[in-house]
Amino acid sequence: MAETSISELMDVAGRTNRTKFRNSVLKPLMQAGLIEMTIPDRPRSSNQKYRITERGRALLAGRDTP
């Protein structure tokens, strides 16, 4: 998976409330080490995108457990 904006992720998930999506989906995935920000030192950047980590790819491939 390439770098993806929060809007694109929300579209895929069928969600419309950005705050609830960030709190209930993005933050838990980041805390689990499954996704990461592309600009971690500027979390509020309008250019912020998210990408899957190696751990996330391994979990998707069935090689790891959270």
Side-chain angles (χ1 to χ4, degrees):
M1 177 185 265
E3 297 173 352
T4 309
S5 71
I6 190 170
S7 297
E8 293 169 318
L9 292 171
M10 287 174 60
D11 286 343
V12 169
R15 304 293 282 280
T16 56
N17 187 307
R18 184 179 295 257
T19 302
K20 285 183 181 179
F21 181 75
R22 188 180 302 118
N23 291 335
S24 64
V25 177
L26 288 182
K27 283 185 180 182
L29 288 172
M30 285 190 294
Q31 290 171 344
L34 302 175
I35 63 170
E36 63 188 2
M37 294 180 182
T38 57
I39 314 170
D41 56 325
R42 294 186 60 211
R44 294 180 182 249
S45 171
S46 61
N47 297 318
Q48 186 65 261
K49 295 197 181 215
Y50 300 87
R51 65 178 161 234
I52 194 165
T53 62
E54 282 299 319
R55 182 173 184 205
R57 279 191 277 282
L59 182 65
L60 287 173
R63 298 187 312 258
D64 190 12
T65 56

